[in-house]
Amino acid sequence: MGRDGTPDKRKRLALIASRGTLDWAYPPYLLASTAAALGMEVGVFFTFYGLPLLLRELDPKLSAHGNPALPLKVPFGPEALRDVAWPVPNVISANLPGFDSMATSMMKKTFEQQGVATIHELRQACIDSGVRLIACQMTMGLFGFDPADFIDEAEPGGAATFLEFAADADISLFV
Amino acid sequence: MISGVTELRVAAEIDCRGLLCPLPILRTRKALEGLSSGELLRMIATDPGSVPDMAAFSRMTGHTVEQRDEQDGEFIFLVRKA
C-alpha cells in the first residue's frame, strides 16, 4: 500500500509459452494462474509449439523421446512397483508405436492420483482471473491454424504486442 | 477447538486435502472472492508446500493468515479477507 492508502502498482508477469507437450504446458498455465491469484497482472505469449495450448480442443501429449530423463511411474498395480520410476531407453520410446500415447495416459493418471491440477483446470483459472492470452498471429499463419479453432479469450497479436506488455513487467520468463 | 481462545466465526470453509500446488492457493483465492472484507475462511490442506505458499500468498495479497494448525498431517489455515 502507498502512504495515502492506495494500492501500489500491481506486479506484472510476462511469460512466453513456446512448447506444447503435456509437461511443458504446465509451467506457463501454472505460473500464470498462481500469479493472478497473488494479485499480479499476467500476460502469456503463446508462440510456435506453444500456440496449440490455446486451441479449443486442448489435448497436449507427452513426448517420451524428447525427455530422456522422464521418470515414468506405473499408476496401477502393487505399491512397490508403483514407486519405481522406470527408465525408458530411447530405442523404445522412439520406435515403439503408440508409446507416447501410453506414456501420456500413464502421466495423466499419476497426476490425477497425486492431486495435480489438470491443464484444463489451470487454463480455466487463467481465463477466470483475466490473464491476457496472446496468440501469435505469425505462428497461426505458419502452421495453418484457423482463428476459429482457438478459445474466445485468445487475443491475436505479434511480438510487438507482447513486448509492449513485457516492457513494464517485473518478471519475464521464457518457458 | 483451542481452549482459552474465543471461537472465531468462520464465513466459509474449503477442503483442499489431497490437492497439490497450486490448487490450494487457487481455491483459497476463489473462496475469498465470495467473502466480504474482514470475514474468515478456513482452508484445510495436506500438501506441506501449502505452508510456505500460504505465507507468501498472505504477504503478496494482504489477506492475513490468522491461525495455522497442524493435526495428523493436515494443515488448517484461518485466513482473514483484507
Side-chain angles (χ1 to χ4, degrees):
Chain A
M1 289 286 187
R3 294 184 67 183
D4 56 355
T6 54
D8 291 330
K9 193 178 165 296
R10 288 166 76 196
K11 295 274 185 196
R12 182 179 280 195
L13 170 67
L15 298 175
I16 298 180
S18 69
R19 299 183 234 194
T21 51
L22 176 64
D23 47 342
W24 280 102
Y26 272 87
Y29 278 135
L30 192 153
L31 289 171
S33 57
T34 307
L38 295 177
M40 296 174 72
E41 189 182 6
V42 189
V44 190
F45 185 49
F46 293 85
T47 187
F48 276 83
Y49 311 123
L51 183 65
L53 298 177
L54 289 177
L55 289 170
R56 288 181 200 279
E57 300 275 326
L58 175 65
D59 189 21
K61 301 280 195 302
L62 208 63
S63 169
H65 187 53
N67 297 280
L70 171 77
L72 267 187
K73 295 193 179 189
V74 183
F76 47 80
E79 197 80 24
L81 288 180
R82 285 196 212 190
D83 286 344
V84 178
W86 300 95
V88 183
N90 269 352
V91 69
I92 292 181
S93 63
N95 295 300
L96 195 66
F99 188 86
D100 280 348
S101 8
M102 186 199 73
T104 301
S105 55
M106 278 166 71
M107 186 65 91
K108 280 186 178 169
K109 193 78 200 158
T110 303
F111 281 176
E112 189 192 328
Q113 284 173 355
Q114 298 289 324
V116 173
T118 64
I119 279 300
H120 292 80
E121 195 170 3
L122 294 176
R123 182 167 84 172
Q124 193 56 48
C126 287
I127 292 169
D128 293 345
S129 52
V131 170
R132 268 184 85 180
L133 305 169
I134 305 166
C136 177
Q137 188 83 64
M138 180 272 276
T139 308
M140 247 187 243
L142 179 69
F143 293 142
F145 284 112
D146 182 345
D149 292 341
F150 293 90
I151 53 172
D152 296 339
E153 292 79 6
E155 165 196 343
T161 307
F162 171 73
L163 288 169
E164 183 194 23
F165 179 85
D168 288 324
D170 298 280
I171 308 169
S172 301
L173 299 171
F174 186 98
V175 287
Chain B
M1 199 49 61
I2 304 154
S3 58
V5 175
T6 315
E7 187 177 334
L8 296 162
R9 193 186 299 273
V10 174
E13 190 162 333
I14 50 166
D15 184 357
C16 295
R17 287 176 294 187
L19 301 179
L20 290 181
C21 165
L23 287 174
I25 296 293
L26 298 184
R27 301 266 164 99
T28 298
R29 174 70 186 199
K30 200 164 196 174
L32 285 169
E33 277 167 17
L35 267 57
S36 307
S37 180
E39 285 189 318
L40 279 174
L41 169 75
R42 192 202 311 270
M43 190 274 273
I44 307 176
T46 45
D47 177 14
S50 63
V51 174
D53 272 10
M54 281 298 289
F57 173 80
S58 172
R59 288 189 295 268
M60 294 273 306
T61 61
H63 304 302
T64 20
V65 178
E66 301 256 315
Q67 265 187 36
R68 178 169 64 76
D69 291 319
E70 187 186 347
Q71 281 169 18
D72 310 319
E74 294 185 351
F75 305 97
I76 304 137
F77 302 88
L78 268 184
V79 188
R80 190 179 297 281
K81 180 162 175 163

